[in-house]
Amino acid sequence: MDKLTIAGRTFDSRLLVGTGKFSSPQVMAQALVASGAEIVTVALRRVDIDNPADDTLREIDRERFLLLPNTSGARTADEAVRLSRLARAATGINWVKLEVTPDPYYLLPCPVETLKAAEILVKEGFVVLPYINADPILAKRLQDVGTATVMPLGSPIGSNQGLKTRASLEIIVEQSTVPVVVDAGLGLPSHVAEAMEIGADAVLVNTAIATAGDPVEMATAFRLAVEAGRRAYKAGPRAPTHSAEASSPLTGFLRNS
Amino acid sequence: MSEVTSRDVEAALAWRPGSYSQNKLLALLSPVAEGYLEQMAVLAQQLTIQRFGRAMRLYAPVYLSSYCVNRCQYCGFNCDNRFTRARLTVDQAVAEARVLASEGYRDVLLVSSEDRAHIDVAYLTELAGRLKAGRGTEAFSFIGIEIYQMSAQEYAQLFAAGIDGVTLYQETYDRQVYARYHLGGPKADYDTRLRAPDDMGQAGMREIGLGVLLGLADWRLETLALAEHAWHLMRRHWQSRVSFSFPRLRSACGVSSSEFPYLLEDKNLVQMMLALRLCFSDAGIVLSTREPASLRDRLMGLVVTRISAGSRTSPGGYTDPATHTGQFDVVDRRSPREVVAVIRDKGFDPVWKDWDSAF
């Protein structure tokens, strides 16, 4: 599989994984390894980012994984910026997955506050990966501000509904000059394969792995699906047609004569 | 409610899991739905794990004061009761919280009865500041209060001071029953109390805790009213998360539980929890130590998202367990460590920290 580049850094894996909702930090650690991911995101509200002995953090091998702090829980740009600064001061990591989700139920991202926070954070030297609704114009505005990626959602987070926003995602993929990471709502390996097939650069999965009957096996399945989808995309998939087209043309013999 | 049929319950189970409609809830609360508890439990568990993960948030209460000006007939702190009352200084309250922090707690619920002469906004502001000071395991990441009703302005002051959530039960949504049990004090005004959660939302509180005291009135009707109240708040104050508690009345100082005409069986308590989960997939469901260990352990893997352990319900109860009268009798007396072992055993991750003081 070809490599992924975000903010000048290259990665072999195109699967990013979240660390919430697992039954234990140990199961999480095994699933992270099985996923083949190189970027793992961790909610600043769940960990003591300045404490390496934190139950979750100590299970994440920093040699293997880039730790991507996220601002989950922030309702405003101010809160997200404050959390990001705190995380950078404590860890030296200047990457942040920007999440501004004022609605505690569907956790949908606020476009206004996200753009505001992204502007501030980029100016302060952060590598910003913003979680957004699948809004092509917002994606462009963020790209203009200088974010490292855009992370549009496939469907509401944790919903396992797959690519409900496919039509908009296709526009974002077509137009974006930064990597597009489809984030949220990807409930099955077939969903991530679909996202990769339409040209997403990467995907982020959490709930579907963490709450599976066997999270480690599910992480493996997602790894394979990401790879399958990416390779299919690179291989140049043909568009579906309404008329039949046989693999071996039935009337081919007429042309030979 | 008595007209609900099996077909209605089946339709309710099939209709948008996790979403609310009054008819759906009505069907799930009906006597007929008692025959569908297993199906309800399977769906409720799926929703809870999907939305909250295999995680169980832990909290513990710190009782600040038992001085009260209200005359609530079910409560041990009723001002007519004669017992030695206590009020912690801010230093003493911090010492109590330190005991909890040493056990791993980062999420604390400050509880007090109503007497502004003893606990006021200035007191809570100072205490919240002390509890959230610093970083790391010494600092509390989430502070809730379960204290007498305050004004919208006071809630805003408390939010600014670091208080993240407020729990305030309407106790009962039945006006006549409310009047019968609340004989005096500021709390006796039903309508004023009903407005409190709106004021919390207005103030920006992250969590708004609702509940009814189970035992005062028909639980089915109470649950319908509770759900309407929650639904109103979820739409109006859409940035605050609503959570539900399920306090079954217990005997307390001067009150025997046999005095309550509507105490409900385990079966119906579970039905109430399941029905609310099936209507509100993202609502917090909180369970205190009022309930016995055997029941708590079963509910943990099912619908509960937040649980207390090792609670003391008297002011100063952690630093000096021998003293003072509690608000109610704790039933599950296991230590936090024992409860954590059960949580792990059930395949869940005990979560001490799910917020950050930097917010």
Side-chain angles (χ1 to χ4, degrees):
Chain A
M1 190 169 56
D2 60 323
K3 289 183 190 297
L4 167 71
T5 303
I6 299 176
R9 198 163 157 169
T10 59
F11 302 91
D12 290 323
S13 168
R14 290 175 177 270
L15 174 59
L16 287 70
V17 180
T19 53
K21 297 187 174 179
F22 284 93
S23 61
S24 72
Q26 293 70 35
V27 172
M28 174 202 75
Q30 291 167 26
L32 295 185
V33 171
S35 74
E38 291 162 283
I39 304 176
V40 301
T41 186
V42 57
L44 289 165
R45 69 171 219 254
R46 273 296 289 278
V47 299
D48 284 311
I49 196 71
D50 37 11
N51 177 12
D54 177 275
D55 285 349
T56 301
L57 293 179
R58 72 172 179 218
E59 296 294 335
I60 300 173
D61 177 359
R62 297 279 296 277
E63 298 290 308
R64 183 194 280 261
F65 302 111
L66 169 67
L67 194 64
L68 176 62
N70 73 60
T71 61
S72 144
R75 296 195 295 201
T76 63
D78 278 354
E79 288 176 358
V81 168
R82 198 153 68 225
L83 276 172
S84 306
R85 287 176 184 153
L86 193 115
R88 180 165 70 177
T91 62
I93 301 170
N94 69 342
W95 288 48
V96 63
K97 177 168 182 251
L98 177 60
E99 296 183 27
V100 187
T101 53
D103 157 24
Y105 301 106
Y106 288 98
L107 296 171
L108 293 170
C110 175
V112 179
E113 297 293 314
T114 302
L115 183 62
K116 211 189 290 179
E119 271 182 303
I120 297 168
L121 291 169
V122 168
K123 274 189 196 140
E124 293 186 6
F126 281 90
V127 174
V128 180
L129 293 79
Y131 171 53
I132 58 170
N133 213 316
D135 177 343
I137 299 298
L138 178 62
K140 285 177 198 287
R141 292 288 303 267
L142 286 162
Q143 174 186 301
D144 290 348
V145 157
T147 61
T149 62
V150 286
M151 302 186 71
L153 55 84
S155 50
I157 192 165
S159 70
N160 296 337
Q161 291 182 45
L163 298 192
K164 295 290 187 205
T165 59
R166 177 169 170 147
S168 298
L169 287 174
E170 285 177 330
I171 299 173
I172 295 174
V173 165
E174 178 193 320
Q175 298 185 330
S176 184
T177 59
V178 294
V180 177
V181 183
V182 177
D183 179 8
L186 305 173
L188 289 168
S190 55
H191 297 155
V192 311
E194 185 185 352
M196 298 307 290
E197 285 162 13
I198 65 172
D201 295 280
V203 292
L204 189 145
V205 179
N206 185 355
T207 302
I209 293 175
T211 65
D214 182 343
V216 178
E217 186 63 9
M218 191 58 89
T220 307
F222 272 101
R223 172 172 62 76
L224 295 170
V226 168
E227 189 171 340
R230 179 65 184 178
R231 292 175 79 135
Y233 172 71
K234 295 297 279 185
R238 298 284 299 275
T241 63
H242 290 291
S243 57
E245 192 179 326
S247 312
S248 307
L250 300 177
T251 55
F253 67 94
L254 294 175
R255 278 181 229 138
N256 294 337
S257 58
Chain B
M1 189 85 70
S2 58
E3 290 165 15
V4 171
T5 64
S6 304
R7 186 167 288 196
D8 296 329
V9 178
E10 284 159 19
L13 285 168
W15 189 78
R16 298 186 61 185
S19 295
Y20 172 66
S21 87
Q22 210 174 46
N23 281 339
K24 172 179 174 179
L25 183 63
L26 183 83
L28 296 176
L29 292 172
S30 69
V32 175
E34 287 176 17
Y36 290 83
L37 287 183
E38 185 58 29
Q39 288 98 312
M40 287 169 70
V42 169
L43 263 178
Q45 184 181 46
Q46 279 172 5
L47 281 172
T48 307
I49 290 179
Q50 188 189 340
R51 304 308 295 164
F52 291 86
R54 294 194 160 273
M56 189 64 56
R57 205 171 133 192
L58 285 141
Y59 77 99
V62 169
Y63 277 72
L64 303 174
S65 168
S66 52
Y67 285 93
C68 199
V69 295
N70 289 314
R71 294 170 60 213
C72 311
Q73 298 303 293
Y74 45 77
C75 181
F77 291 165
N78 178 344
C79 66
D80 294 337
N81 283 344
R82 296 277 163 261
F83 66 95
T84 311
R85 294 184 189 256
R87 178 260 194 191
L88 304 184
T89 63
V90 171
D91 281 344
Q92 287 170 326
V94 170
E96 287 278 287
R98 290 262 173 275
V99 175
L100 294 175
S102 72
E103 289 168 337
Y105 284 107
R106 308 290 294 282
D107 182 335
V108 68
L109 178 68
L110 305 175
V111 186
S112 170
S113 46
E114 176 155 9
D115 190 342
R116 284 175 179 260
H118 286 95
I119 303 290
D120 60 10
V121 171
Y123 174 104
L124 293 167
T125 302
E126 186 189 344
L127 179 55
R130 299 259 311 260
L131 295 180
K132 281 207 166 167
R135 294 283 311 161
T137 51
E138 284 291 292
F140 281 86
S141 55
F142 189 95
I143 303 178
I145 56 171
E146 189 175 334
I147 283 178
Y148 57 88
Q149 177 175 1
M150 296 194 172
S151 68
Q153 194 189 356
E154 287 170 321
Y155 284 133
Q157 283 174 274
L158 292 176
F159 182 69
I163 301 230
D164 303 291
V166 186
T167 297
L168 189 100
Y169 306 146
Q170 183 63 25
E171 319 293 18
T172 171
Y173 286 92
D174 183 316
R175 282 174 188 278
Q176 287 175 349
V177 174
Y178 192 92
R180 199 177 312 143
Y181 281 98
H182 300 95
L183 298 183
K187 191 174 161 181
D189 186 340
Y190 177 101
D191 290 301
T192 301
R193 192 167 183 87
L194 194 61
R195 281 197 294 272
D198 280 298
D199 291 341
M200 297 165 200
Q202 192 79 37
M205 287 293 172
R206 310 264 173 192
E207 289 205 12
I208 299 177
L210 303 181
V212 286
L213 279 179
L214 299 168
L216 299 183
D218 182 325
W219 68 273
R220 293 188 156 100
L221 298 177
E222 296 276 40
T223 309
L224 288 172
L226 176 66
E228 276 297 304
H229 197 182
W231 185 232
H232 156 80
L233 294 168
M234 287 171 180
R235 284 176 299 160
R236 176 74 58 86
H237 307 288
W238 57 275
Q239 299 203 21
S240 304
R241 186 193 285 274
V242 170
S243 65
F244 297 113
S245 300
F246 300 83
R248 274 200 287 194
L249 279 164
R250 296 277 162 208
S251 51
C253 170
V255 197
S256 156
S257 63
S258 60
E259 289 177 25
F260 306 118
Y262 288 100
L263 286 175
L264 76 175
E265 298 171 55
D266 286 358
K267 179 179 67 177
N268 293 131
L269 176 69
V270 173
Q271 185 181 2
M272 177 179 176
M273 289 176 148
L274 296 175
L276 285 171
R277 168 59 76 229
L278 294 180
C279 289
F280 301 103
S281 55
D282 291 281
I285 289 192
V286 186
L287 196 60
S288 79
T289 52
R290 285 171 187 258
E291 295 298 334
S294 53
L295 183 65
R296 280 179 16 117
D297 290 357
R298 293 223 163 77
L299 291 171
M300 262 186 232
L302 218 49
V303 288
V304 174
T305 57
R306 198 163 169 231
I307 198 160
S308 55
S311 304
R312 310 269 181 209
T313 64
S314 56
Y318 296 105
T319 43
D320 183 5
T323 56
H324 310 307
T325 304
Q327 188 194 21
F328 63 89
D329 297 339
V330 168
V331 178
D332 182 353
R333 295 179 174 276
R334 290 174 300 175
S335 69
R337 186 175 299 200
E338 288 170 291
V339 173
V340 160
V342 174
I343 292 172
R344 290 213 170 100
D345 217 41
K346 298 182 81 75
F348 282 75
D349 189 23
V351 171
W352 301 99
K353 177 178 184 290
D354 192 30
W355 204 245
D356 199 281
S357 50
F359 272 107

